[in-house]
Amino acid sequence: QVHLVESGGGLVQAGGSLRLSCVASGRIFSSYVMGWFRQAPGKEREFVGAISWDIARTTYADSVKGRFTISRDNAKNTVYLQMNILKPEDTAMYFCAAGVKLELDEKAYRYWGQGTQVTVSS
């Protein structure tokens, strides 16, 4: 079992930045792929990005590529999502998730956090 807790969300103006954190507890964090997803009101949950367990690989949704960066610190059991040049369309609940394969499909992720709200004003 892996327990995930996100933090760092909030209200920011368009063009601003936020850094989300996700702290894991339970089974060995360093063995998991960590992903970030988001869900806006009335929309399906969508993939944002993911990072491999060894930090060697990252992948991003086209909508955030070049603006968002995922990193992780396995010694701290923490994964981060640095979000720059935020846009109103980035407004959503952001979730971190743990899985065993670096995939875009949420079905590949077994453990999920409760989410943290990001609101970008125009």
Side-chain angles (χ1 to χ4, degrees):
Q1 187 76 13
V2 176
H3 185 230
L4 303 173
V5 179
E6 303 95 334
S7 63
L11 174 65
V12 64
Q13 288 189 329
S17 298
L18 279 175
R19 188 175 81 155
L20 306 184
S21 300
C22 173
V23 179
S25 59
R27 299 190 66 175
I28 301 173
F29 170 79
S30 60
S31 64
Y32 285 94
V33 168
M34 296 302 298
W36 285 97
F37 291 77
R38 67 186 182 186
Q39 187 169 21
K43 294 189 176 181
E44 296 288 320
R45 188 158 57 187
E46 66 175 1
F47 174 80
V48 174
I51 186 167
S52 62
W53 68 272
D54 59 359
I55 316 178
R57 292 173 294 153
T58 55
T59 186
Y60 298 94
D62 288 343
S63 59
V64 307
K65 205 171 293 184
R67 300 188 298 122
F68 291 11
T69 303
I70 295 176
S71 61
R72 66 189 294 168
D73 185 339
N74 287 339
K76 294 182 178 180
N77 286 2
T78 303
V79 63
Y80 305 97
L81 180 65
Q82 177 67 44
M83 306 186 294
N84 298 327
I85 317 175
L86 283 160
K87 305 175 181 181
E89 52 263 43
D90 294 318
T91 295
M93 183 73 78
Y94 283 72
F95 301 88
C96 69
V100 295
K101 293 183 68 176
L102 191 68
E103 293 194 9
L104 280 62
D105 189 342
E106 65 176 65
K107 295 183 181 66
Y109 296 83
R110 183 173 182 181
Y111 302 105
W112 292 81
Q114 293 298 307
T116 185
Q117 177 68 37
V118 171
T119 303
V120 184
S121 63
S122 58

